[in-house]
Amino acid sequence: MHNENSSKRKKTPWPTKKAMAQIYEQNLWGANGDLFYSGDGSHKEAIITPYIKKVSEFLDSFEKPITVCDLGCGDFNIGKQLVAKTSRYIAVDIVPKLIDYNKTQFSQANVKFECLDIAKDRLPTADCVLIRQVLQHLSNAEVHEVVKKIKQYKYVILTEHIPNGDFVPNIDIISGQGIRIKKKSGLDLMKPPFDLKAAKLTELISLDLEGSRGCIKTVLYQMF
């Protein structure tokens, strides 16, 4: 006789906003004494220094500073180092308390913080969008919604943690703390089911992590 209690229960996804808020409340990405901490990927010098250098060079290449929208700004440790390169910097995150905190800590004339669910809400207008290790935490359904929206931007700078070498892209996950690397997968927006099209693709950084933990790759998409 089939016992329903012994059958494997399907994991029920939390709403993404609650999952992300819990990460900060319980310091699931670590802590360094600050009220909010977005993890080593936003603080470790070996990871963030090359990123800031390359993105700064891109932003400096324009005769006049451009506007930037940072989707998933986190604790703003990286964003605060790019603001001076822009005419306007719009920093977006899904966690209300995090955005409120950032407003008190990083208030500047050309910086605006907005609390948005990037999969559900309308995104701010800008010349360039930064999405740094954000989509890797989202389900394919949510990634698909974001991909539809980023076509509005002229430039997309996307950073993802992916496996080294060949891998099966875009294996689905439940949105939250984890990423596809646990399934030996990673996001490739130009492959199914996303099929993003771009006029030009430039790899800015590919940073191998210690202990065969994959690499963090940053790509610049120039959109049609």
Side-chain angles (χ1 to χ4, degrees):
M1 184 176 176
H2 178 68
N3 186 343
E4 289 186 7
N5 292 331
S6 64
S7 63
K8 188 175 181 180
R9 292 193 180 110
K10 187 175 180 181
K11 196 171 180 181
T12 303
W14 261 31
T16 304
K17 181 176 283 190
K18 287 186 178 180
M20 294 302 172
Q22 184 193 56
I23 288 168
Y24 286 105
E25 288 167 0
Q26 299 186 8
N27 296 323
L28 298 181
W29 285 336
N32 69 345
D34 291 329
L35 189 59
F36 294 94
Y37 183 71
S38 294
D40 288 349
S42 293
H43 287 267
K44 196 171 183 179
E45 289 299 326
I47 294 174
I48 69 172
T49 299
Y51 178 86
I52 293 167
K53 180 176 183 293
K54 285 293 185 180
V55 175
S56 294
E57 288 172 357
F58 168 75
L59 295 174
D60 284 340
S61 70
F62 294 91
E63 188 175 338
K64 294 182 179 179
I66 63 173
T67 55
V68 168
C69 180
D70 182 349
L71 299 183
C73 66
D75 62 19
F76 211 55
N77 186 54
I78 289 178
K80 69 183 182 184
Q81 301 179 67
L82 298 172
V83 168
K85 307 286 184 181
T86 71
S87 62
R88 192 161 190 253
Y89 198 104
I90 306 161
V92 172
D93 207 281
I94 196 172
V95 180
K97 289 181 180 179
L98 171 62
I99 287 295
D100 289 343
Y101 179 77
N102 285 347
K103 285 178 181 178
T104 67
Q105 298 296 310
F106 306 107
S107 177
Q108 287 181 241
N110 68 326
V111 177
K112 184 179 182 182
F113 290 99
E114 292 195 30
C115 185
L116 298 172
D117 182 333
I118 65 173
K120 295 179 179 178
D121 298 328
R122 185 174 179 177
L123 301 182
T125 300
D127 299 308
C128 174
V129 66
L130 309 179
I131 317 176
R132 195 185 58 81
Q133 291 181 255
V134 172
L135 300 186
Q136 63 191 34
H137 292 285
L138 302 183
S139 68
N140 280 5
E142 290 193 310
V143 173
H144 183 69
E145 292 303 312
V146 177
V147 168
K148 288 193 293 186
K149 298 173 190 180
I150 63 176
K151 295 173 184 177
Q152 70 177 283
Y153 301 102
K154 189 170 183 181
Y155 304 101
V156 176
I157 299 179
L158 177 72
T159 305
E160 290 291 324
H161 184 178
I162 59 175
N164 293 113
D166 294 331
F167 61 91
V168 177
N170 307 331
I171 292 177
D172 203 5
I173 61 168
I174 291 173
S175 298
Q177 179 190 7
I179 64 174
R180 289 164 181 79
I181 203 83
K182 294 179 180 179
K183 297 187 176 185
K184 299 181 180 178
S185 181
L187 286 178
D188 184 341
L189 298 189
M190 304 190 87
K191 299 280 180 66
F194 310 119
D195 299 309
L196 179 66
K197 302 290 190 296
K200 187 179 179 183
L201 185 69
T202 306
E203 183 179 300
L204 298 182
I205 314 160
S206 184
L207 180 67
D208 287 333
L209 299 175
E210 297 173 358
S212 301
R213 293 186 294 116
C215 71
I216 298 176
K217 185 171 288 189
T218 299
V219 177
L220 166 64
Y221 298 86
Q222 186 167 337
M223 307 306 288
F224 288 104

